[in-house]
């Protein structure tokens, strides 16, 4: 077994879609980034890559590469899954948290879990996603950005 941790943060800006956990959320702002800036998927990918000892998403999907400009992070997650599978590991479980003052994430969490479980070829019961605010403290509380953290347990086949 191996464990990994991931963390990501993106700035909220006008004129961008808000995509978290592979789900488009109707909101007045979106996350700024080279890809679709899916903060949750980025944290999950980093947790898997970390558990495998393969660095982070910046190493595998550099923001200087046009290949990854505006790419769907779910496609990147599939690549990370293939790396994991090629090394004979599968998901034991993932536990993640989204930190955002607004919008409320609760209505979208089950769809996020479904999408992530599908890409990672695991049961939805192995994917846990929580959301919290910071009681208006910090950059998340001021609605300047959204962060996410994830831990994963990988099991050798």
């Amino acid at each position: 077994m191996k464990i990994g941790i991931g963390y990501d943060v993106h700035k909220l800006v006008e004129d961008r879609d808000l995509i978290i956990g592979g789900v488009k959320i109707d909101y007045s702002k979106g996350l700024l980034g080279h890809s679709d800036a899916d903060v949750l998927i980025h944290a999950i990918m980093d947790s898997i890559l970390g558990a495998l000892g393969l660095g982070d998403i910046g190493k595998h999907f550099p923001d200087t590469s046009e290949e990854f400009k505006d790419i769907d992070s779910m496609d990147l997650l599939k690549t990370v899954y293939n790396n994991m599978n090629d090394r004979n590991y599968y998901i034991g479980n993932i536990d993640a948290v989204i930190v955002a003052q607004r919008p409320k994430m609760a209505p979208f969490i089950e769809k996020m879990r479904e999408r992530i479980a599908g890409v990672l070829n695991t049961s939805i019961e192995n994917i846990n996603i929580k959301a919290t605010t910071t009681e208006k403290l910090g950059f998340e509380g001021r609605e300047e950005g959204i962060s996410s953290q994830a831990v994963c347990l990988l099991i050798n086949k």
Side-chain angles (χ1 to χ4, degrees), residues 4-60:
I5 186 169
Y7 173 79
D8 197 41
V9 61
H10 285 279
K11 181 179 179 177
L12 279 165
V13 296
E14 303 284 335
D15 301 318
R16 287 275 296 195
D17 288 336
L18 180 59
I19 301 168
I20 300 179
V23 176
K24 184 176 176 183
I25 297 170
D26 187 29
Y27 190 59
S28 61
K29 294 181 179 180
L31 293 171
L32 181 63
H34 186 68
S35 66
D36 64 5
D38 189 328
V39 68
L40 174 61
I41 299 303
H42 293 181
I44 289 171
M45 288 190 297
D46 268 348
S47 73
I48 295 168
L49 290 168
L52 294 170
L54 296 176
D56 61 21
I57 61 174
K59 177 180 176 181
H60 295 267

Side-chain angles (χ1 to χ4, degrees), residues 38-154:
D38 189 328
V39 68
L40 174 61
I41 299 303
H42 293 181
I44 289 171
M45 288 190 297
D46 268 348
S47 73
I48 295 168
L49 290 168
L52 294 170
L54 296 176
D56 61 21
I57 61 174
K59 177 180 176 181
H60 295 267
F61 314 110
D63 64 6
T64 54
S65 172
E66 282 302 309
E67 177 184 0
F68 306 117
K69 179 76 174 137
D70 297 322
I71 195 166
D72 183 336
S73 292
M74 296 301 278
D75 292 338
L76 302 178
L77 182 60
K78 183 65 173 175
T79 300
V80 170
Y81 167 79
N82 290 336
N83 267 322
M84 177 189 75
N85 192 51
D86 290 348
R87 287 167 174 74
N88 295 312
Y89 283 91
Y90 64 92
I91 298 293
N93 75 300
I94 290 174
D95 189 23
V97 62
I98 305 162
V99 184
Q101 195 65 38
R102 286 188 319 140
K104 294 294 183 190
M105 297 292 152
F108 308 100
I109 286 178
E110 285 309 304
K111 184 67 176 169
M112 293 175 190
R113 291 177 67 215
E114 289 171 13
R115 298 237 27 235
I116 293 164
V119 170
L120 295 176
N121 195 31
T122 192
S123 169
I124 193 170
E125 287 80 21
N126 295 332
I127 308 296
N128 189 60
I129 301 170
K130 305 174 293 284
T132 190
T133 70
T134 60
E135 303 294 329
K136 300 190 178 185
L137 297 173
F139 71 88
E140 298 105 333
R142 291 188 301 270
E143 299 178 38
E144 296 170 1
I146 295 176
S147 69
S148 184
Q149 298 176 36
V151 292
C152 75
L153 173 68
L154 300 184

